[in-house]
Amino acid sequence: MLTTRLPIRVEPYKLAARAERLEGLMALVDFTRLAEEVGAQTGDIRVTLGFGIDAQGRRVIHGRLEADLQLPCRRCLSPLAQRVESDFLLGMVTSDDLAAELPSTHEPVLVEDEQLNLLTVVEDELILSLPQVVYHDEADCEVSRDQLTSGEDALASREPAASPFDVLRHLKGKS
């Protein structure tokens, strides 16, 4: 069982030069932007980061993350357990100009003052990996399909809409 906590900040160029690999856990409670998106989370996220230099001399990070989250069902808003996993490839850059030169297979990660905030990087990747919509199975959801539409609205949508010119027709006396 993995119990090592990852550091918040690292020196990625040194790690890449030595082809280091970091593997450990980060507390989900520390991810404030994630909490704003899907609600407060508990537990840990498992992260693996392999630092290195690719064949073109670019400093890269091969990463993988795995987390068990409680995401709100879009129908009833009750929490629903979801496993989120992601593999990613980051290219380390020091400016936006260098980020534009990266191939499409690499996502840029900005390294400032030779320091990288792992908390921000992992949180960004986790947010990007969230499913677009999450629903309970209809049988398990607290809200049924019938509760999502009102009976009057459903009947009104089946009837053809009245012509806006019917009022004028009646005013002129033509029926």
Side-chain angles (χ1 to χ4, degrees), residues 30 119 130 157:
D30 294 336
L119 185 72
L130 291 174
S157 66

Side-chain angles (χ1 to χ4, degrees), residues 11-24:
E11 295 181 1
Y13 293 126
K14 289 181 181 178
L15 294 172
R18 294 190 308 251
E20 294 276 341
R21 178 182 166 101
L22 299 178
E23 187 171 357

Side-chain angles (χ1 to χ4, degrees), residues 1-2 7 11-12 19-20 34 52 63 72 89 92 94 101 103 105 114 116 128 140 156 169 173:
M1 184 168 144
L2 187 64
E11 295 181 1
E20 294 276 341
L34 177 70
L89 176 60
M92 293 184 241
T94 54
E101 296 175 12
T105 56
E114 296 191 18
L116 184 62
L128 289 171
D140 299 331
R169 189 175 304 127

Side-chain angles (χ1 to χ4, degrees), residues 81-100:
Q82 288 284 297
R83 177 110 174 140
V84 177
E85 298 178 3
S86 176
D87 292 304
F88 51 92
L89 176 60
L90 304 174
M92 293 184 241
V93 295
T94 54
S95 70
D96 290 335
D97 294 335
L98 293 174

Side-chain angles (χ1 to χ4, degrees), residues 58-131:
R58 288 184 291 260
R59 291 173 181 91
V60 296
I61 303 170
H62 294 271
R64 174 157 181 79
L65 60 85
E66 300 170 6
D68 292 313
L69 303 177
Q70 294 292 321
L71 302 177
C73 170
R74 297 296 179 187
R75 239 181 273 164
C76 67
L77 301 178
S78 295
L80 173 65
Q82 288 284 297
R83 177 110 174 140
V84 177
E85 298 178 3
S86 176
D87 292 304
F88 51 92
L89 176 60
L90 304 174
M92 293 184 241
V93 295
T94 54
S95 70
D96 290 335
D97 294 335
L98 293 174
E101 296 175 12
L102 284 175
S104 62
T105 56
H106 295 59
E107 294 178 48
V109 62
L110 188 62
V111 178
E112 298 172 323
D113 300 325
E114 296 191 18
Q115 294 282 313
L116 184 62
N117 185 327
L118 287 185
L119 185 72
T120 303
V121 171
V122 171
E123 185 174 26
D124 287 346
E125 290 303 320
L126 183 57
I127 290 171
L128 289 171
S129 302
L130 291 174

